[in-house]
Amino acid sequence: PILSCLRKSLLVICFFLRSFLGIKNKNSTYKHYSYYDNGNYCRKTIFGHYVSPAVRDLILGGKVNTDGDRIEAVILFTDIRSFTALSENHAPERIVKLLNIHFTRIVDIVSRNDGFVDKFIGDAVMAVFDEELTRGHHRLSALRAAAGILKELEDTNTEIAELGFAPIKIGIGMAAGPVIRGNIGSENRREMTVIGDTVNLASRLESATKEFGSPILMTESSFDTACADFKLIKKISEEALSIRGKSNLVRVFALDLA
């Protein structure tokens, strides 16, 4: 019932969006809207601008269990270093421009590597690499995405320099393990997301990169033989870290671009 209601609500939203955008029929001159099929055009194209395409397809395909599905995944968190100071020194409108430039590249990189962006949290991004959606290559997909995000940060810094910003630095934390994917929230407001200890750990590792001095920290369980053969990343060190909220030490790899 919840998913059925959601799909009906999307049709209503699409009706108003189509009116707003001036899209009347399948012969619309808006060439970037490429197909029209009894509402699928709106649901898939416009809805896809507000959630990741992978999430969109899961919801519209009725594949989201409202009670939650247990899945294996790699969770990736990344945020901007010293963002509070950055926000204090620039107008909010300028910060929004910077974030949109930065986030656009991250979303593209995550999507190219079969992941999906779960949410934006201020200057942070949470991405999910589902074992099923990546056909079992979730660890390598997440590592490729992390490398891509770091590699393209140079392009982001070049672009934001034209707006008067100094170069930004980022940190990335990754953890692999079981999570629950489902609709979380209240009767009036729900969000498809993933929750679990793996999510918390990835977030903690991202925060730890600040003190550790490495742009990427990932759990040992996030790294497999396929990752070891990935040449764009080099291992700096292996450590057993004490992570806030964890009773045991966590073995992590510190990584950087090769």
Side-chain angles (χ1 to χ4, degrees):
I2 293 175
L3 291 176
S4 175
C5 182
L6 175 59
R7 285 193 288 267
K8 290 178 182 177
S9 298
L10 285 172
L11 285 175
V12 175
I13 292 170
C14 286
F15 172 80
F16 287 107
L17 284 173
R18 285 174 60 198
S19 299
F20 175 75
L21 293 171
I23 302 168
K24 297 180 179 180
N25 54 48
K26 64 181 178 181
N27 295 317
S28 167
T29 58
Y30 290 83
K31 62 182 179 181
H32 55 291
Y33 297 119
S34 58
Y35 54 89
Y36 186 99
D37 180 17
N38 296 326
N40 285 339
Y41 146 78
C42 264
R43 290 200 299 268
K44 283 196 165 186
T45 306
I46 297 180
F47 188 35
H49 288 305
Y50 292 90
V51 298
S52 297
V55 175
R56 172 202 65 193
D57 293 342
L58 286 171
I59 293 174
L60 296 180
K63 297 178 181 178
V64 179
N65 183 350
T66 54
D67 294 325
D69 290 310
R70 184 184 179 92
I71 65 169
E72 288 289 325
V74 174
I75 308 300
L76 182 153
F77 273 88
T78 179
D79 82 350
I80 298 173
R81 293 284 164 266
S82 304
F83 184 73
T84 300
L86 187 68
S87 299
E88 288 178 347
N89 295 321
H90 294 276
E93 295 84 357
R94 287 168 51 76
I95 294 297
V96 168
K97 288 182 179 179
L98 181 152
L99 289 177
N100 284 337
I101 291 169
H102 181 51
F103 288 164
T104 294
R105 285 195 169 89
I106 291 178
V107 171
D108 288 345
I109 291 165
V110 169
S111 296
R112 288 201 305 264
N113 288 282
D114 299 320
F116 63 87
V117 170
D118 183 284
K119 58 174 63 70
F120 302 104
I121 313 164
D123 62 307
V125 178
M126 173 183 165
V128 180
F129 297 85
D130 183 321
E131 180 182 36
E132 180 181 356
L133 296 178
T134 59
R135 298 170 296 281
H137 301 297
H138 49 308
R139 291 177 176 83
L140 181 58
S141 293
L143 187 62
R144 282 175 170 167
I149 292 169
L150 281 182
K151 188 173 175 50
E152 293 197 20
L153 183 61
E154 183 177 343
D155 294 333
T156 295
N157 281 329
T158 298
E159 190 169 351
I160 65 174
E162 298 175 359
L163 301 176
F165 288 101
I168 59 173
K169 294 182 179 180
I170 63 172
I172 298 173
M174 294 188 288
V179 294
I180 298 297
R181 181 188 67 201
N183 282 312
I184 309 296
S186 69
E187 291 183 358
N188 298 320
R189 173 72 162 82
R190 289 181 179 269
E191 177 182 59
M192 205 210 83
T193 187
V194 297
I195 61 171
D197 184 58
T198 304
V199 177
N200 300 333
L201 180 55
S203 178
R204 295 275 192 265
L205 289 178
E206 186 282 316
S207 296
T209 61
K210 301 171 187 176
E211 293 77 32
F212 206 81
S214 170
I216 302 175
L217 283 180
M218 67 188 301
T219 57
E220 186 178 39
S221 62
S222 305
F223 200 87
D224 59 14
T225 54
C227 294
D229 294 332
F230 185 57
K231 303 303 183 184
L232 293 182
I233 288 287
K234 64 181 178 183
K235 191 186 300 182
I236 299 173
S237 65
E238 299 180 29
E239 304 285 343
L241 294 185
S242 176
I243 303 295
R244 182 162 56 91
K246 303 290 290 183
S247 56
N248 298 319
L249 294 177
V250 177
R251 288 204 60 80
V252 301
F253 294 157
L255 307 173
D256 201 345
L257 289 176

